[in-house]
Amino acid sequence: MHRRIIVPSALAASLTLAIPASAADFSPGAPGIGDSYYPASGNGGYDVSHYDLRLKYEPATDLLEGTATILATTKQNLSRFNLDLGLKVSEVRVNGRVAKFAASGAHELEVTPAVPLERNREISVVVRYAGKPSEFKVDGWSAWARTPDGGVAAQEPDSAVWWFPSNDHPLDKATFDVSVSVPAGHQAISNGVLQSQSTALGRTRFNWRSDKPQATYLATLAVGKFDITTDRTANGLPVLNAYSKDLGAHAGAARASIERTTEVAEWLETVFGPYPFNSLGGYVPNVTSGFALETQTRPFYSPRQFANGANVSVVVHELAHQWYGDSVSVRDWKDIWINEGFARYSQWLWSEKEGEGTAQELADYVYALRGADDPFWTVKPGDPGPENQFHGAVYDRGALALQALRNEIGDEDFFAILKGWPKQFAYGNARVADFVRYAERISGEPLAELFDTWLYEPSKPAAPAAAAAGPSAPATPRTTAKAGAKAAKPVQPKSWKKIAATNTVHDHERGHDHESGHKGHGGH
């Protein structure tokens, strides 16, 4: 009896599989990946595994020519799909065959393959393109900076569309090979390990490899004339730092900061666990901007970060992002706190290590800095809104939330969480809610109310993060209130000015101020 039912069903299923899907079963991939802040970012219908970029750049004219080979897997039956790119395309091939293409929206490239693509199929897409990245703008702004001797791609949350076609959202991470031809005497800096370089006929080609999943905005390209230092860590990882030859008065302070990259990374390993990537470094091109950015393995620093002397704190911030933001990336841009709150808190921990103010003293100072009526407290770090994505509250109130957590659950569980989280979600994506659940699981304590208070209430919490401070901690508004005394204003910790410099040095080209939030802020 059972056989008569099962066998025909199995046969029917096998016949269904053998029949090609009709055209009606195929549909276009979505023009956005579904981000709540940036609906046009990324695309639906496929997942990229690898980008192979073969580029040629002319510093004198800003002309970039490229051939991008994209390896991906389809996630639905696709009649067509989108890539994100702002430069002019001359040819697209899908699985070797010429495909139709059209530009739409601010940076959409609509690709229609010669044959519709079935779900769960590995595909290759080759895009030939060219253009001057500095001439391309989205809403009046650019992620591409011209320099006296070249150009640089570094911005957040978008920079890829200025120099390569991609699925431009952190949710679709991939490995990268970036090969760049530049005039001899220039260098091309990118992510990961410099595999090789060769010079012929007046041009030099640099071949870079980033072999762990990388979000598209964390891919970087810098062409110019650099002084380069190389080394290896105690564990054998290659270290490569690059400095524009024309940094002027900022050159010494920049080197004195970036050359401590290995030392800072070794210390961060004691806090966050093993370094997650295949190389270390940083680069300082001669740009007029003021921000820094955690471009994977090789953070970008504007010279102005070092206008007042060396600042190791900004190096701590950008390297902390290698764990918090790069290895574990946001699922949605509203989850920015899981990047920035932790990178800022790492600066507090470095201050504690250096004897320039404990994390608790910094928390007390930050809490006391602004009154309850300050609009700072209306920004919700757990969901700040696109207009406030890089607001100071995401950083400073975001770090206060972590100090509150530390005081609530104690150092043992707190530091176990800081190490465990990057391991749990390594090379993937996560939400704020994932962190809350993870912290509850590790600590065994209910923490939803604490996180709601510090990340989601649009008002100044009634008590500082130091509510559970020990007797050796400085007086806080709550502890002094218990004693019936007026709260004393905390003394400014020695490290504060260096930490604050990563707030107040801004990318003036964007015309935005840190308190209002923007994409190009000082010290992402």
Side-chain angles (χ1 to χ4, degrees), residues 38 41 51 141 143 153-164 166-174 176 191 214-221 283 291-296 298-300 318 321-333 335-336 338-340 389-390 395 429 519 524:
Y38 306 106
S41 288
Y51 293 96
W141 70 278
Q155 257 292 4
E156 183 180 17
D158 301 300
S159 70
V161 295
W162 277 265
W163 63 289
F164 69 96
S166 70
N167 193 9
D168 195 13
H169 190 276
L171 204 50
D172 192 357
K173 297 157 80 166
F176 280 75
N191 312 80
Q214 177 173 288
T216 46
Y217 85 96
L218 296 172
T220 191
L221 174 65
Y283 76 97
F291 67 99
L293 182 65
E294 62 271 17
T295 40
Q296 193 158 307
R298 189 151 293 105
F300 158 93
E318 303 310 334
H321 273 312
Q322 304 305 306
W323 288 260
Y324 283 82
D326 293 13
S327 178
V328 185
S329 302
V330 296
R331 283 191 65 83
D332 188 287
W333 278 111
D335 300 307
I336 191 66
I338 66 169
N339 294 10
E340 301 301 349
Q389 188 180 354
F390 301 112
Y395 296 71
N429 301 78
K519 294 176 183 173
H524 283 305

Side-chain angles (χ1 to χ4, degrees), residues 164-247:
F164 69 96
S166 70
N167 193 9
D168 195 13
H169 190 276
L171 204 50
D172 192 357
K173 297 157 80 166
T175 54
F176 280 75
D177 281 316
V178 179
S179 177
V180 191
S181 169
V182 296
H186 286 70
Q187 291 110 332
I189 308 296
S190 191
N191 312 80
V193 174
L194 180 61
Q195 301 284 101
S196 62
Q197 70 181 73
S198 57
T199 301
L201 302 175
R203 300 190 68 83
T204 304
R205 181 169 288 281
F206 294 82
N207 299 300
W208 295 89
R209 172 164 292 174
S210 206
D211 66 352
K212 292 289 191 292
Q214 177 173 288
T216 46
Y217 85 96
L218 296 172
T220 191
L221 174 65
V223 175
K225 295 182 178 180
F226 296 95
D227 286 330
I228 291 177
T229 65
T230 60
D231 203 350
R232 287 194 175 269
T233 67
N235 294 332
L237 289 182
V239 183
L240 186 145
N241 300 319
Y243 310 90
S244 279
K245 290 179 181 288
D246 52 0
L247 292 179

